[in-house]
Amino acid sequence: MTRLAQIALCAALSLLSACADRGGDYPSLLPMDQLLAEPELPPDGADPTVATSATQARADALRARADALRRPVIEPETQSRMQRSDG
């Protein structure tokens, strides 16, 4: 076996070992019929107030999260130090 063939074999083996199963790092594959299936909708006659209240609760939670993100990024003591050094 030539030197080039040995290097190629080592490279091929390392690539194959990288493809080995790592115990569930990747999500499992789904069959196409399951991927292309129509989504399940609530049955006819379902109470719209339940869906409305769930949607409203989620919207309120998202608004609260957005309000929490509007806080100052700089800590108050750092901001006061910056203001003192400017003036």
Side-chain angles (χ1 to χ4, degrees):
M1 194 184 259
T2 67
R3 186 80 168 150
L4 184 60
Q6 291 173 347
I7 293 172
L9 179 63
C10 289
L13 289 176
S14 64
L15 288 174
L16 286 174
S17 67
C19 296
D21 183 25
R22 300 279 184 215
D25 289 345
Y26 298 99
S28 61
L29 298 177
L30 298 175
M32 285 302 289
D33 58 340
Q34 189 175 354
L35 288 173
L36 298 174
E38 291 291 325
E40 291 185 25
L41 298 174
D44 288 339
D47 189 13
T49 57
V50 173
T52 303
S53 63
T55 305
Q56 188 63 39
R58 184 163 190 265
D60 291 340
L62 288 173
R63 282 189 200 100
R65 184 175 176 207
D67 288 339
L69 293 174
R70 287 191 184 105
R71 294 184 195 152
V73 177
I74 302 172
E75 294 87 11
E77 58 271 358
T78 306
Q79 189 172 12
S80 65
R81 229 184 10 210
M82 289 169 52
Q83 290 171 349
R84 282 185 298 207
S85 68
D86 285 344

